[in-house]
Amino acid sequence: MLNNRGQLSEVMSWIVATLAIIAILLVFIFASGILAQKTKVLKIKSVDVDLPDSAEELDVIEVKNTIAYGKASPEQKKIMDDYFGGKNEEP
Amino acid sequence: MSINIKNKKGADKVLSVYWIMILIITAGGIFGMVYSFYHHPYDVRNVEAEILTNKIADCLSYEGEINSKVFSEGNFNQNFENEFLNECNLNLETSLDSAGEIKEFYVETNFYDSGNLESSVFSFKEGNAGLIAGCDIQEDKEFEKEVKCVEEEFFSFDPGVSEGNEKLYLIKIMSVVRKTDKNVK
C-alpha cells in the first residue's frame, strides 16, 4: 500500500453527501416555518339565505342595510345612498 | 505484495452505521418540518370580531327595526348599557384581569340620527376600553398583531314612531379582540 489517498477521497464524498442532506433538510424546515406564518383564516359569511333558484351566502350587515333600504322613504333612501355611495339595491 | 480480500463484511458493517445515522437525521428533519408548521397558531381574531359584531347587530336590529329595549318612553334607554350583555346573550368574561375586569374584548355601539350622521346621539360600551387604541396603529407592521378590530355600520328604524313616519338611525358597531396569547406566536 503506497498511501491512503484513495480511501480519503472516498470518505470525503460521504461527508459532502451527508452535509448536503442536512442542508436540504434545514431549507425545508425553514420553508415550512414560513408557510405556517402565511396561513390565513378566510373571512366567514355567516348567513345562508335560500333564494328561489340558488342558495346564496349574504353578509348579515348587508342584509340589514338592504331591508332598511326597502322600508325607507325616498328621502331616507337618498341619505343612505349618499352615505354608502349608491351601493344599496332594493330587494 | 497482494492483499487477500476474504469478504466485505467489515465495510458493510461500517455502512450500516452510516445509513442508520442518515435515517435518524432524515426523521429528525421531518419532525422539525411538522413541528415548525403546526407550531404556529391560526389567528382567528378577525373572524371572532366579525362574529361578535354580527351577533350584536342581530340583537340590536331585526327586520329593519331597532330592538325596542334600546328605547324607553320614546327616548334612548340610558340603562341599556347595563342590560346589553344579558339582552344579547353575550359573555365577554372568558378571561379577567387581576381586578376582575374584562381584558380581551371591547365592543362599542353608536347610534346616529339620519339627520346628522356626524354626531352620535346614543352609545354604549363594554369591555377593556384600552384596546381601542390598538385599532389606530394596526396599519403599522410592528403592531399589527396586537389587536384585531372590526367596525360595521348599518341603518335601522325606530319601531316606536308611528307607521309612515319612522325615524332612521345609523348604527355603528366596533368590536375589538385581543387574545394574543392564543392566536399569535
Side-chain angles (χ1 to χ4, degrees):
Chain A
M1 206 177 289
L2 291 173
N3 55 45
N4 295 328
R5 283 182 190 170
Q7 288 184 355
L8 182 62
S9 68
E10 212 174 298
V11 170
M12 283 305 293
S13 302
W14 287 110
I15 290 173
V16 170
T18 307
L19 290 174
I21 289 169
I22 292 172
I24 290 168
L25 282 173
L26 287 173
V27 166
F28 275 112
I29 290 170
F30 182 68
S32 62
I34 290 180
L35 272 174
Q37 288 176 19
K38 300 276 183 206
T39 306
K40 286 184 180 176
V41 179
L42 298 175
K43 184 180 169 83
I44 287 180
K45 295 282 189 185
S46 46
V47 174
D48 282 331
V49 178
D50 287 329
L51 297 180
D53 297 326
S54 64
E56 185 177 339
E57 286 187 358
L58 295 175
D59 187 70
V60 168
I61 303 299
E62 282 176 20
V63 169
K64 291 187 185 304
N65 273 322
T66 304
I67 292 172
Y69 194 82
K71 287 185 168 187
S73 67
E75 295 79 21
Q76 290 167 335
K77 281 191 171 82
K78 188 177 183 315
I79 293 172
M80 293 171 74
D81 282 339
D82 289 342
Y83 187 80
F84 288 124
K87 290 179 185 175
N88 281 307
E89 295 176 10
E90 287 200 49
Chain B
M1 173 178 118
S2 64
I3 298 167
N4 189 12
I5 300 174
K6 292 186 180 175
N7 56 46
K8 294 180 184 172
K9 281 185 184 173
D12 285 348
K13 281 181 181 170
V14 172
L15 279 176
S16 300
V17 172
Y18 174 74
W19 280 119
I20 288 170
M21 191 184 76
I22 287 293
L23 277 175
I24 292 170
I25 291 171
T26 307
I30 293 171
F31 173 80
M33 279 185 254
V34 171
Y35 180 82
S36 69
F37 185 80
Y38 287 106
H39 190 59
H40 283 277
Y42 287 107
D43 192 351
V44 297
R45 293 176 297 166
N46 252 338
V47 175
E48 198 169 347
E50 281 176 28
I51 292 172
L52 181 58
T53 303
N54 288 342
K55 195 152 170 61
I56 295 170
D58 278 339
C59 172
L60 292 179
S61 172
Y62 182 70
E63 289 188 351
E65 289 187 353
I66 298 172
N67 187 337
S68 57
K69 292 187 182 178
V70 176
F71 297 95
S72 171
E73 297 174 358
N75 296 315
F76 283 103
N77 180 6
Q78 302 301 325
N79 283 330
F80 187 76
E81 185 168 4
N82 300 329
E83 307 159 1
F84 160 62
L85 289 179
N86 279 335
E87 177 62 28
C88 297
N89 292 320
L90 290 172
N91 179 10
L92 304 182
E93 296 174 3
T94 53
S95 59
L96 305 174
D97 64 12
S98 53
E101 300 291 326
I102 299 166
K103 67 172 184 175
E104 304 288 8
F105 297 96
Y106 176 74
V107 294
E108 180 178 335
T109 308
N110 285 289
F111 289 76
Y112 298 82
D113 192 308
S114 57
N116 180 10
L117 296 175
E118 302 296 326
S119 166
S120 167
V121 295
F122 179 61
S123 69
F124 51 87
K125 313 168 179 47
E126 198 66 50
N128 183 356
L131 297 180
I132 200 154
C135 297
D136 296 327
I137 57 173
Q138 256 192 315
E139 301 303 320
D140 194 340
K141 204 170 168 57
E142 190 181 346
F143 300 105
E144 66 180 353
K145 293 181 180 178
E146 285 296 315
V147 295
K148 292 296 179 190
C149 308
V150 168
E151 184 175 33
E152 298 283 3
E153 50 197 8
F154 60 96
F155 285 90
S156 195
F157 287 94
D158 176 359
V161 181
S162 57
E163 195 167 338
N165 196 23
E166 287 94 355
K167 208 164 184 191
L168 181 67
Y169 288 96
L170 172 68
I171 302 172
K172 287 190 183 181
I173 303 172
M174 160 81 83
S175 298
V176 184
V177 178
R178 185 175 167 274
K179 286 179 136 182
T180 47
D181 298 339
K182 295 181 181 178
N183 289 272
V184 179
K185 190 187 170 196

